[in-house]
Amino acid sequence: MKALILAGGAGTRLRPLTNAIPKPLVPLLGRPLVMHIIDSLPKEVDTVVLAVSYMKGALESYFRQNDCGRKVVLINEEEPLGTGGAIRNARQYLDEMFLCFNGDVISSLDLTAFLDHHRRHGGIGTLALWRVADPSAFGVAKMLNGRITEFQEKPSPGTAVSDLINAGTYAFEPELLDHIGDGFVSLEREVFPKILERGLHGYQFTGHWVDCGTLESYLNAQSVLIDDGEDVVCVQRQEGARLIGANHLDGVTLSHCRVGPHVCAMRGSSIMDGSTVERSVLMEGAQVGKGCVIKDCILGPGAQVKDGQTLNGEILVRGSSA
Ligand code: GTP
């Protein structure tokens, strides 16, 4: 079976981090987002098809250097074709039922149970659905007896027809390709409303689900995974540091600082005397000087925070000043 991962978006909401790293390669607890998806695939998936466009060279070189245990094929779009156009562009690989993913979603969905559900209920496709309090920023699905009867993309507040949202994971039959036209096509806005009558089913799941497309949701995903037990503490050098709550620290230098809760600090990063870091990520080689207060931040690879700085809710990359 093939799994198609949509991985060609520009990731504008995570800029400036995504100026240098395509979103599928942004590390979450030290592993690229796309690898969280690939590692969760059931055994029957032997080929991963990545629909790429933005910074495709970085993705090519990642998969050349890292064996993920499955065949990986990259399909390029010269110009981004949208989520629907990307699927159509990969059609030469999609001749039987396939799984399809937004490349930035982290979830506890049991893909084997999801596929069973699709096989039992038939139809052109099945969407994984997740319940939220405010669905206005998402694609909303109204369901009747397990079948989706209406689909709204990002309804204005108060107009949503349900609180179930599209979790960005699908099982599709190849027949879907007959309903996607040429050029730029949005799966959610243009294709879903057209295929409802072909039998589009919903599969609601619980556990965790986070779309990592923004600073806030990325940090939320990190907290969820750390709370779920994915904590590694392997500090390289630690003098008088205080660790609070579950954290993910791998090969870091900590000196007389307060770290946590919900901090991930990757290899080669450091936090110096008198600094406090909470609910943030320090990617490889990021450095926090002395007497800093860092909260709700992404510090990209090699980012540097000078002594005495306070940062709240910022994305900082190498070369940007703070
Ligand atoms: P923003 O610019 O911040 O909205 O991020 P994005 O470009 O990643 O868009 P969005 O989060 O809506 O995309 C959801 C998923 O679809 C992501 O995994 C994207 O990589 C992917 N995606 C979005 N547009 C395209 C496209 O035109 N082509 C391909 N191949 N993938 C896309």
Side-chain angles (χ1 to χ4, degrees), residues 28-29 36 106 108 207-210 218-233 244-249 260-264 279-280:
L28 178 66
L29 296 195
H36 286 260
I106 298 298
S108 58
H208 65 253
W209 176 85
V210 195
Y218 172 93
L219 292 175
N220 192 13
Q222 176 177 286
S223 297
V224 164
L225 293 186
I226 288 176
D227 285 344
D228 234 32
E230 284 217 33
D231 56 319
V232 172
V233 178
I244 302 148
N247 292 290
H248 188 100
L249 310 170
H262 298 144
V263 169
C264 171
R279 195 170 176 266
S280 293

PDB file of all heavy atoms in Angstrom, residues 28-29 36 106 108 207-210 218-233 244-249 260-264 279-280:
ATOM      1  N   LEU A  28      10.546  17.882  15.758  1.00  0.00           N
ATOM      2  CA  LEU A  28       9.671  17.879  16.934  1.00  0.00           C
ATOM      3  C   LEU A  28      10.228  16.786  17.843  1.00  0.00           C
ATOM      4  O   LEU A  28      10.323  15.620  17.409  1.00  0.00           O
ATOM      5  CB  LEU A  28       8.232  17.581  16.511  1.00  0.00           C
ATOM      6  CG  LEU A  28       7.207  17.487  17.635  1.00  0.00           C
ATOM      7  CD1 LEU A  28       7.011  18.837  18.317  1.00  0.00           C
ATOM      8  CD2 LEU A  28       5.861  16.999  17.103  1.00  0.00           C
ATOM      9  N   LEU A  29      10.636  17.131  19.034  1.00  0.00           N
ATOM     10  CA  LEU A  29      11.372  16.231  19.929  1.00  0.00           C
ATOM     11  C   LEU A  29      12.524  15.556  19.168  1.00  0.00           C
ATOM     12  O   LEU A  29      12.737  14.347  19.261  1.00  0.00           O
ATOM     13  CB  LEU A  29      10.463  15.173  20.551  1.00  0.00           C
ATOM     14  CG  LEU A  29       9.356  15.661  21.466  1.00  0.00           C
ATOM     15  CD1 LEU A  29       8.780  14.510  22.281  1.00  0.00           C
ATOM     16  CD2 LEU A  29       9.807  16.761  22.406  1.00  0.00           C
ATOM     17  N   HIS A  36       7.546  11.541  12.128  1.00  0.00           N
ATOM     18  CA  HIS A  36       6.528  11.109  13.094  1.00  0.00           C
ATOM     19  C   HIS A  36       5.409  10.386  12.342  1.00  0.00           C
ATOM     20  O   HIS A  36       4.864   9.406  12.821  1.00  0.00           O
ATOM     21  CB  HIS A  36       5.958  12.311  13.862  1.00  0.00           C
ATOM     22  CG  HIS A  36       6.905  12.872  14.888  1.00  0.00           C
ATOM     23  ND1 HIS A  36       6.815  12.579  16.229  1.00  0.00           N
ATOM     24  CD2 HIS A  36       7.965  13.700  14.770  1.00  0.00           C
ATOM     25  CE1 HIS A  36       7.772  13.209  16.896  1.00  0.00           C
ATOM     26  NE2 HIS A  36       8.479  13.903  16.024  1.00  0.00           N
ATOM     27  N   ILE A 106       0.287  15.670  13.937  1.00  0.00           N
ATOM     28  CA  ILE A 106       0.746  14.673  14.904  1.00  0.00           C
ATOM     29  C   ILE A 106      -0.496  14.127  15.595  1.00  0.00           C
ATOM     30  O   ILE A 106      -1.288  14.902  16.120  1.00  0.00           O
ATOM     31  CB  ILE A 106       1.633  15.363  15.979  1.00  0.00           C
ATOM     32  CG1 ILE A 106       2.865  15.980  15.331  1.00  0.00           C
ATOM     33  CG2 ILE A 106       2.012  14.422  17.105  1.00  0.00           C
ATOM     34  CD1 ILE A 106       3.770  15.012  14.654  1.00  0.00           C
ATOM     35  N   SER A 108      -2.640  10.486  17.600  1.00  0.00           N
ATOM     36  CA  SER A 108      -2.603   9.131  18.145  1.00  0.00           C
ATOM     37  C   SER A 108      -3.552   8.218  17.375  1.00  0.00           C
ATOM     38  O   SER A 108      -3.893   7.146  17.855  1.00  0.00           O
ATOM     39  CB  SER A 108      -3.004   9.171  19.623  1.00  0.00           C
ATOM     40  OG  SER A 108      -4.304   9.741  19.733  1.00  0.00           O
ATOM     41  N   GLY A 207      -7.760  10.750  21.927  1.00  0.00           N
ATOM     42  CA  GLY A 207      -6.330  10.606  22.239  1.00  0.00           C
ATOM     43  C   GLY A 207      -5.711  11.970  22.079  1.00  0.00           C
ATOM     44  O   GLY A 207      -6.101  12.905  22.766  1.00  0.00           O
ATOM     45  N   HIS A 208      -4.803  12.115  21.105  1.00  0.00           N
ATOM     46  CA  HIS A 208      -4.306  13.461  20.834  1.00  0.00           C
ATOM     47  C   HIS A 208      -4.244  13.727  19.335  1.00  0.00           C
ATOM     48  O   HIS A 208      -4.128  12.811  18.523  1.00  0.00           O
ATOM     49  CB  HIS A 208      -2.960  13.727  21.522  1.00  0.00           C
ATOM     50  CG  HIS A 208      -1.821  12.888  21.027  1.00  0.00           C
ATOM     51  ND1 HIS A 208      -1.295  11.864  21.756  1.00  0.00           N
ATOM     52  CD2 HIS A 208      -1.109  12.933  19.885  1.00  0.00           C
ATOM     53  CE1 HIS A 208      -0.301  11.311  21.081  1.00  0.00           C
ATOM     54  NE2 HIS A 208      -0.173  11.936  19.941  1.00  0.00           N
ATOM     55  N   TRP A 209      -4.359  14.997  19.004  1.00  0.00           N
ATOM     56  CA  TRP A 209      -4.253  15.448  17.623  1.00  0.00           C
ATOM     57  C   TRP A 209      -3.767  16.900  17.639  1.00  0.00           C
ATOM     58  O   TRP A 209      -4.345  17.725  18.329  1.00  0.00           O
ATOM     59  CB  TRP A 209      -5.617  15.394  16.908  1.00  0.00           C
ATOM     60  CG  TRP A 209      -5.536  15.946  15.520  1.00  0.00           C
ATOM     61  CD1 TRP A 209      -5.162  15.262  14.399  1.00  0.00           C
ATOM     62  CD2 TRP A 209      -5.807  17.291  15.096  1.00  0.00           C
ATOM     63  NE1 TRP A 209      -5.166  16.092  13.306  1.00  0.00           N
ATOM     64  CE2 TRP A 209      -5.557  17.347  13.706  1.00  0.00           C
ATOM     65  CE3 TRP A 209      -6.217  18.448  15.739  1.00  0.00           C
ATOM     66  CZ2 TRP A 209      -5.714  18.508  12.958  1.00  0.00           C
ATOM     67  CZ3 TRP A 209      -6.371  19.618  14.996  1.00  0.00           C
ATOM     68  CH2 TRP A 209      -6.133  19.634  13.624  1.00  0.00           C
ATOM     69  N   VAL A 210      -2.714  17.180  16.941  1.00  0.00           N
ATOM     70  CA  VAL A 210      -2.256  18.571  16.837  1.00  0.00           C
ATOM     71  C   VAL A 210      -1.717  18.806  15.440  1.00  0.00           C
ATOM     72  O   VAL A 210      -0.932  18.013  14.914  1.00  0.00           O
ATOM     73  CB  VAL A 210      -1.116  18.919  17.830  1.00  0.00           C
ATOM     74  CG1 VAL A 210      -0.953  20.423  17.930  1.00  0.00           C
ATOM     75  CG2 VAL A 210      -1.333  18.324  19.200  1.00  0.00           C
ATOM     76  N   TYR A 218       2.601  24.119  17.364  1.00  0.00           N
ATOM     77  CA  TYR A 218       3.841  23.336  17.446  1.00  0.00           C
ATOM     78  C   TYR A 218       4.202  23.084  18.919  1.00  0.00           C
ATOM     79  O   TYR A 218       4.505  21.960  19.322  1.00  0.00           O
ATOM     80  CB  TYR A 218       4.989  24.077  16.733  1.00  0.00           C
ATOM     81  CG  TYR A 218       6.337  23.420  16.944  1.00  0.00           C
ATOM     82  CD1 TYR A 218       6.832  22.489  16.036  1.00  0.00           C
ATOM     83  CD2 TYR A 218       7.089  23.703  18.081  1.00  0.00           C
ATOM     84  CE1 TYR A 218       8.053  21.853  16.260  1.00  0.00           C
ATOM     85  CE2 TYR A 218       8.305  23.071  18.318  1.00  0.00           C
ATOM     86  CZ  TYR A 218       8.776  22.153  17.406  1.00  0.00           C
ATOM     87  OH  TYR A 218       9.965  21.524  17.635  1.00  0.00           O
ATOM     88  N   LEU A 219       4.135  24.150  19.734  1.00  0.00           N
ATOM     89  CA  LEU A 219       4.507  23.996  21.148  1.00  0.00           C
ATOM     90  C   LEU A 219       3.495  23.120  21.876  1.00  0.00           C
ATOM     91  O   LEU A 219       3.838  22.364  22.785  1.00  0.00           O
ATOM     92  CB  LEU A 219       4.626  25.372  21.823  1.00  0.00           C
ATOM     93  CG  LEU A 219       5.807  26.212  21.319  1.00  0.00           C
ATOM     94  CD1 LEU A 219       5.777  27.602  21.953  1.00  0.00           C
ATOM     95  CD2 LEU A 219       7.151  25.532  21.614  1.00  0.00           C
ATOM     96  N   ASN A 220       2.247  23.193  21.435  1.00  0.00           N
ATOM     97  CA  ASN A 220       1.222  22.344  22.008  1.00  0.00           C
ATOM     98  C   ASN A 220       1.530  20.873  21.714  1.00  0.00           C
ATOM     99  O   ASN A 220       1.459  20.011  22.592  1.00  0.00           O
ATOM    100  CB  ASN A 220      -0.124  22.774  21.399  1.00  0.00           C
ATOM    101  CG  ASN A 220      -1.283  22.184  22.120  1.00  0.00           C
ATOM    102  OD1 ASN A 220      -1.113  21.650  23.207  1.00  0.00           O
ATOM    103  ND2 ASN A 220      -2.444  22.256  21.501  1.00  0.00           N
ATOM    104  N   ALA A 221       1.918  20.590  20.448  1.00  0.00           N
ATOM    105  CA  ALA A 221       2.268  19.211  20.071  1.00  0.00           C
ATOM    106  C   ALA A 221       3.440  18.714  20.919  1.00  0.00           C
ATOM    107  O   ALA A 221       3.444  17.580  21.414  1.00  0.00           O
ATOM    108  CB  ALA A 221       2.635  19.146  18.588  1.00  0.00           C
ATOM    109  N   GLN A 222       4.414  19.591  21.107  1.00  0.00           N
ATOM    110  CA  GLN A 222       5.578  19.198  21.903  1.00  0.00           C
ATOM    111  C   GLN A 222       5.165  18.862  23.344  1.00  0.00           C
ATOM    112  O   GLN A 222       5.586  17.849  23.905  1.00  0.00           O
ATOM    113  CB  GLN A 222       6.590  20.351  21.896  1.00  0.00           C
ATOM    114  CG  GLN A 222       7.793  20.084  22.767  1.00  0.00           C
ATOM    115  CD  GLN A 222       8.821  21.198  22.681  1.00  0.00           C
ATOM    116  OE1 GLN A 222       9.513  21.316  21.683  1.00  0.00           O
ATOM    117  NE2 GLN A 222       8.923  22.005  23.716  1.00  0.00           N
ATOM    118  N   SER A 223       4.287  19.693  23.926  1.00  0.00           N
ATOM    119  CA  SER A 223       3.834  19.431  25.301  1.00  0.00           C
ATOM    120  C   SER A 223       3.072  18.116  25.380  1.00  0.00           C
ATOM    121  O   SER A 223       3.251  17.329  26.314  1.00  0.00           O
ATOM    122  CB  SER A 223       2.926  20.560  25.793  1.00  0.00           C
ATOM    123  OG  SER A 223       3.638  21.764  25.836  1.00  0.00           O
ATOM    124  N   VAL A 224       2.212  17.891  24.373  1.00  0.00           N
ATOM    125  CA  VAL A 224       1.405  16.660  24.372  1.00  0.00           C
ATOM    126  C   VAL A 224       2.328  15.437  24.339  1.00  0.00           C
ATOM    127  O   VAL A 224       2.151  14.477  25.101  1.00  0.00           O
ATOM    128  CB  VAL A 224       0.449  16.656  23.149  1.00  0.00           C
ATOM    129  CG1 VAL A 224      -0.110  15.275  22.883  1.00  0.00           C
ATOM    130  CG2 VAL A 224      -0.683  17.657  23.351  1.00  0.00           C
ATOM    131  N   LEU A 225       3.331  15.460  23.483  1.00  0.00           N
ATOM    132  CA  LEU A 225       4.222  14.300  23.374  1.00  0.00           C
ATOM    133  C   LEU A 225       5.069  14.127  24.633  1.00  0.00           C
ATOM    134  O   LEU A 225       5.301  13.009  25.084  1.00  0.00           O
ATOM    135  CB  LEU A 225       5.135  14.419  22.146  1.00  0.00           C
ATOM    136  CG  LEU A 225       4.434  14.348  20.783  1.00  0.00           C
ATOM    137  CD1 LEU A 225       5.462  14.331  19.658  1.00  0.00           C
ATOM    138  CD2 LEU A 225       3.536  13.131  20.672  1.00  0.00           C
ATOM    139  N   ILE A 226       5.507  15.231  25.215  1.00  0.00           N
ATOM    140  CA  ILE A 226       6.303  15.121  26.444  1.00  0.00           C
ATOM    141  C   ILE A 226       5.423  14.548  27.563  1.00  0.00           C
ATOM    142  O   ILE A 226       5.817  13.621  28.269  1.00  0.00           O
ATOM    143  CB  ILE A 226       6.913  16.490  26.840  1.00  0.00           C
ATOM    144  CG1 ILE A 226       8.041  16.853  25.859  1.00  0.00           C
ATOM    145  CG2 ILE A 226       7.452  16.455  28.264  1.00  0.00           C
ATOM    146  CD1 ILE A 226       8.662  18.236  26.084  1.00  0.00           C
ATOM    147  N   ASP A 227       4.185  15.059  27.670  1.00  0.00           N
ATOM    148  CA  ASP A 227       3.279  14.545  28.706  1.00  0.00           C
ATOM    149  C   ASP A 227       2.925  13.089  28.471  1.00  0.00           C
ATOM    150  O   ASP A 227       2.608  12.353  29.391  1.00  0.00           O
ATOM    151  CB  ASP A 227       1.980  15.369  28.754  1.00  0.00           C
ATOM    152  CG  ASP A 227       2.203  16.708  29.421  1.00  0.00           C
ATOM    153  OD1 ASP A 227       3.241  16.862  30.087  1.00  0.00           O
ATOM    154  OD2 ASP A 227       1.351  17.601  29.255  1.00  0.00           O
ATOM    155  N   ASP A 228       2.972  12.682  27.204  1.00  0.00           N
ATOM    156  CA  ASP A 228       2.648  11.312  26.834  1.00  0.00           C
ATOM    157  C   ASP A 228       3.789  10.351  27.167  1.00  0.00           C
ATOM    158  O   ASP A 228       3.710   9.177  26.867  1.00  0.00           O
ATOM    159  CB  ASP A 228       2.412  11.270  25.324  1.00  0.00           C
ATOM    160  CG  ASP A 228       1.081  10.670  24.988  1.00  0.00           C
ATOM    161  OD1 ASP A 228       0.165  10.847  25.782  1.00  0.00           O
ATOM    162  OD2 ASP A 228       0.989  10.013  23.929  1.00  0.00           O
ATOM    163  N   GLY A 229       4.871  10.900  27.668  1.00  0.00           N
ATOM    164  CA  GLY A 229       5.955  10.026  28.109  1.00  0.00           C
ATOM    165  C   GLY A 229       7.163  10.032  27.202  1.00  0.00           C
ATOM    166  O   GLY A 229       8.114   9.300  27.422  1.00  0.00           O
ATOM    167  N   GLU A 230       7.155  10.873  26.173  1.00  0.00           N
ATOM    168  CA  GLU A 230       8.323  10.912  25.299  1.00  0.00           C
ATOM    169  C   GLU A 230       9.390  11.832  25.887  1.00  0.00           C
ATOM    170  O   GLU A 230       9.861  12.746  25.233  1.00  0.00           O
ATOM    171  CB  GLU A 230       7.920  11.399  23.899  1.00  0.00           C
ATOM    172  CG  GLU A 230       7.209  10.343  23.119  1.00  0.00           C
ATOM    173  CD  GLU A 230       7.573  10.357  21.651  1.00  0.00           C
ATOM    174  OE1 GLU A 230       8.722  10.689  21.298  1.00  0.00           O
ATOM    175  OE2 GLU A 230       6.684  10.028  20.850  1.00  0.00           O
ATOM    176  N   ASP A 231       9.739  11.614  27.156  1.00  0.00           N
ATOM    177  CA  ASP A 231      10.780  12.480  27.718  1.00  0.00           C
ATOM    178  C   ASP A 231      12.110  11.738  27.774  1.00  0.00           C
ATOM    179  O   ASP A 231      12.197  10.599  28.171  1.00  0.00           O
ATOM    180  CB  ASP A 231      10.368  13.030  29.081  1.00  0.00           C
ATOM    181  CG  ASP A 231      10.018  11.947  30.052  1.00  0.00           C
ATOM    182  OD1 ASP A 231       9.361  10.982  29.621  1.00  0.00           O
ATOM    183  OD2 ASP A 231      10.401  12.034  31.224  1.00  0.00           O
ATOM    184  N   VAL A 232      13.128  12.450  27.323  1.00  0.00           N
ATOM    185  CA  VAL A 232      14.486  11.899  27.341  1.00  0.00           C
ATOM    186  C   VAL A 232      15.268  12.896  28.164  1.00  0.00           C
ATOM    187  O   VAL A 232      15.179  14.082  27.910  1.00  0.00           O
ATOM    188  CB  VAL A 232      15.091  11.968  25.916  1.00  0.00           C
ATOM    189  CG1 VAL A 232      16.554  11.594  25.930  1.00  0.00           C
ATOM    190  CG2 VAL A 232      14.301  11.121  24.954  1.00  0.00           C
ATOM    191  N   VAL A 233      15.978  12.474  29.148  1.00  0.00           N
ATOM    192  CA  VAL A 233      16.847  13.441  29.803  1.00  0.00           C
ATOM    193  C   VAL A 233      18.266  12.901  29.724  1.00  0.00           C
ATOM    194  O   VAL A 233      18.601  11.904  30.342  1.00  0.00           O
ATOM    195  CB  VAL A 233      16.425  13.732  31.248  1.00  0.00           C
ATOM    196  CG1 VAL A 233      17.405  14.702  31.904  1.00  0.00           C
ATOM    197  CG2 VAL A 233      15.026  14.340  31.268  1.00  0.00           C
ATOM    198  N   ILE A 244      12.236  21.227  35.755  1.00  0.00           N
ATOM    199  CA  ILE A 244      10.869  21.254  36.276  1.00  0.00           C
ATOM    200  C   ILE A 244       9.953  20.507  35.320  1.00  0.00           C
ATOM    201  O   ILE A 244       9.899  20.835  34.131  1.00  0.00           O
ATOM    202  CB  ILE A 244      10.386  22.707  36.429  1.00  0.00           C
ATOM    203  CG1 ILE A 244      11.345  23.441  37.373  1.00  0.00           C
ATOM    204  CG2 ILE A 244       8.961  22.772  36.954  1.00  0.00           C
ATOM    205  CD1 ILE A 244      11.495  24.891  37.048  1.00  0.00           C
ATOM    206  N   GLY A 245       9.235  19.527  35.843  1.00  0.00           N
ATOM    207  CA  GLY A 245       8.266  18.802  35.006  1.00  0.00           C
ATOM    208  C   GLY A 245       8.966  17.946  33.970  1.00  0.00           C
ATOM    209  O   GLY A 245      10.180  17.797  33.965  1.00  0.00           O
ATOM    210  N   ALA A 246       8.178  17.361  33.084  1.00  0.00           N
ATOM    211  CA  ALA A 246       8.740  16.476  32.057  1.00  0.00           C
ATOM    212  C   ALA A 246       9.381  17.311  30.949  1.00  0.00           C
ATOM    213  O   ALA A 246       8.808  18.273  30.478  1.00  0.00           O
ATOM    214  CB  ALA A 246       7.631  15.622  31.476  1.00  0.00           C
ATOM    215  N   ASN A 247      10.590  16.957  30.585  1.00  0.00           N
ATOM    216  CA  ASN A 247      11.304  17.698  29.551  1.00  0.00           C
ATOM    217  C   ASN A 247      12.025  16.729  28.640  1.00  0.00           C
ATOM    218  O   ASN A 247      12.176  15.566  28.957  1.00  0.00           O
ATOM    219  CB  ASN A 247      12.318  18.648  30.189  1.00  0.00           C
ATOM    220  CG  ASN A 247      11.619  19.745  30.936  1.00  0.00           C
ATOM    221  OD1 ASN A 247      11.013  20.598  30.341  1.00  0.00           O
ATOM    222  ND2 ASN A 247      11.642  19.673  32.260  1.00  0.00           N
ATOM    223  N   HIS A 248      12.484  17.243  27.526  1.00  0.00           N
ATOM    224  CA  HIS A 248      13.179  16.405  26.546  1.00  0.00           C
ATOM    225  C   HIS A 248      14.512  17.098  26.276  1.00  0.00           C
ATOM    226  O   HIS A 248      14.579  18.087  25.562  1.00  0.00           O
ATOM    227  CB  HIS A 248      12.306  16.350  25.282  1.00  0.00           C
ATOM    228  CG  HIS A 248      12.797  15.385  24.271  1.00  0.00           C
ATOM    229  ND1 HIS A 248      12.268  14.129  24.115  1.00  0.00           N
ATOM    230  CD2 HIS A 248      13.766  15.481  23.339  1.00  0.00           C
ATOM    231  CE1 HIS A 248      12.882  13.505  23.137  1.00  0.00           C
ATOM    232  NE2 HIS A 248      13.796  14.304  22.634  1.00  0.00           N
ATOM    233  N   LEU A 249      15.543  16.612  26.933  1.00  0.00           N
ATOM    234  CA  LEU A 249      16.847  17.274  26.850  1.00  0.00           C
ATOM    235  C   LEU A 249      17.851  16.250  26.350  1.00  0.00           C
ATOM    236  O   LEU A 249      18.005  15.187  26.938  1.00  0.00           O
ATOM    237  CB  LEU A 249      17.284  17.769  28.238  1.00  0.00           C
ATOM    238  CG  LEU A 249      16.243  18.581  29.005  1.00  0.00           C
ATOM    239  CD1 LEU A 249      16.678  18.804  30.438  1.00  0.00           C
ATOM    240  CD2 LEU A 249      16.009  19.920  28.320  1.00  0.00           C
ATOM    241  N   GLY A 260      11.988  24.151  32.145  1.00  0.00           N
ATOM    242  CA  GLY A 260      10.741  23.409  32.161  1.00  0.00           C
ATOM    243  C   GLY A 260       9.627  24.187  32.822  1.00  0.00           C
ATOM    244  O   GLY A 260       9.841  25.289  33.300  1.00  0.00           O
ATOM    245  N   PRO A 261       8.423  23.628  32.799  1.00  0.00           N
ATOM    246  CA  PRO A 261       8.107  22.356  32.142  1.00  0.00           C
ATOM    247  C   PRO A 261       8.004  22.515  30.628  1.00  0.00           C
ATOM    248  O   PRO A 261       7.981  23.628  30.120  1.00  0.00           O
ATOM    249  CB  PRO A 261       6.740  21.990  32.732  1.00  0.00           C
ATOM    250  CG  PRO A 261       6.137  23.302  33.108  1.00  0.00           C
ATOM    251  CD  PRO A 261       7.272  24.215  33.466  1.00  0.00           C
ATOM    252  N   HIS A 262       7.935  21.361  29.943  1.00  0.00           N
ATOM    253  CA  HIS A 262       7.689  21.320  28.502  1.00  0.00           C
ATOM    254  C   HIS A 262       8.759  22.015  27.672  1.00  0.00           C
ATOM    255  O   HIS A 262       8.451  22.857  26.825  1.00  0.00           O
ATOM    256  CB  HIS A 262       6.303  21.886  28.167  1.00  0.00           C
ATOM    257  CG  HIS A 262       5.205  21.077  28.786  1.00  0.00           C
ATOM    258  ND1 HIS A 262       4.069  21.625  29.274  1.00  0.00           N
ATOM    259  CD2 HIS A 262       5.102  19.757  29.019  1.00  0.00           C
ATOM    260  CE1 HIS A 262       3.301  20.668  29.775  1.00  0.00           C
ATOM    261  NE2 HIS A 262       3.916  19.520  29.627  1.00  0.00           N
ATOM    262  N   VAL A 263       9.989  21.665  27.973  1.00  0.00           N
ATOM    263  CA  VAL A 263      11.095  22.207  27.178  1.00  0.00           C
ATOM    264  C   VAL A 263      11.774  21.066  26.431  1.00  0.00           C
ATOM    265  O   VAL A 263      12.005  20.001  27.001  1.00  0.00           O
ATOM    266  CB  VAL A 263      12.118  22.924  28.082  1.00  0.00           C
ATOM    267  CG1 VAL A 263      13.399  23.256  27.302  1.00  0.00           C
ATOM    268  CG2 VAL A 263      11.508  24.198  28.655  1.00  0.00           C
ATOM    269  N   CYS A 264      12.046  21.293  25.158  1.00  0.00           N
ATOM    270  CA  CYS A 264      12.879  20.359  24.414  1.00  0.00           C
ATOM    271  C   CYS A 264      14.147  21.110  24.023  1.00  0.00           C
ATOM    272  O   CYS A 264      14.078  22.175  23.408  1.00  0.00           O
ATOM    273  CB  CYS A 264      12.157  19.866  23.164  1.00  0.00           C
ATOM    274  SG  CYS A 264      13.245  18.914  22.095  1.00  0.00           S
ATOM    275  N   ARG A 279       8.294  25.987  28.351  1.00  0.00           N
ATOM    276  CA  ARG A 279       7.473  25.650  27.188  1.00  0.00           C
ATOM    277  C   ARG A 279       8.069  26.203  25.883  1.00  0.00           C
ATOM    278  O   ARG A 279       7.462  27.013  25.189  1.00  0.00           O
ATOM    279  CB  ARG A 279       6.050  26.180  27.383  1.00  0.00           C
ATOM    280  CG  ARG A 279       5.061  25.553  26.403  1.00  0.00           C
ATOM    281  CD  ARG A 279       3.633  25.906  26.780  1.00  0.00           C
ATOM    282  NE  ARG A 279       2.694  25.385  25.814  1.00  0.00           N
ATOM    283  CZ  ARG A 279       2.232  26.081  24.793  1.00  0.00           C
ATOM    284  NH1 ARG A 279       2.617  27.321  24.591  1.00  0.00           N
ATOM    285  NH2 ARG A 279       1.371  25.533  23.947  1.00  0.00           N
ATOM    286  N   SER A 280       9.255  25.732  25.580  1.00  0.00           N
ATOM    287  CA  SER A 280       9.965  26.235  24.401  1.00  0.00           C
ATOM    288  C   SER A 280      10.802  25.132  23.818  1.00  0.00           C
ATOM    289  O   SER A 280      10.978  24.076  24.433  1.00  0.00           O
ATOM    290  CB  SER A 280      10.903  27.394  24.798  1.00  0.00           C
ATOM    291  OG  SER A 280      10.158  28.507  25.226  1.00  0.00           O
TER     292      SER A 280
END
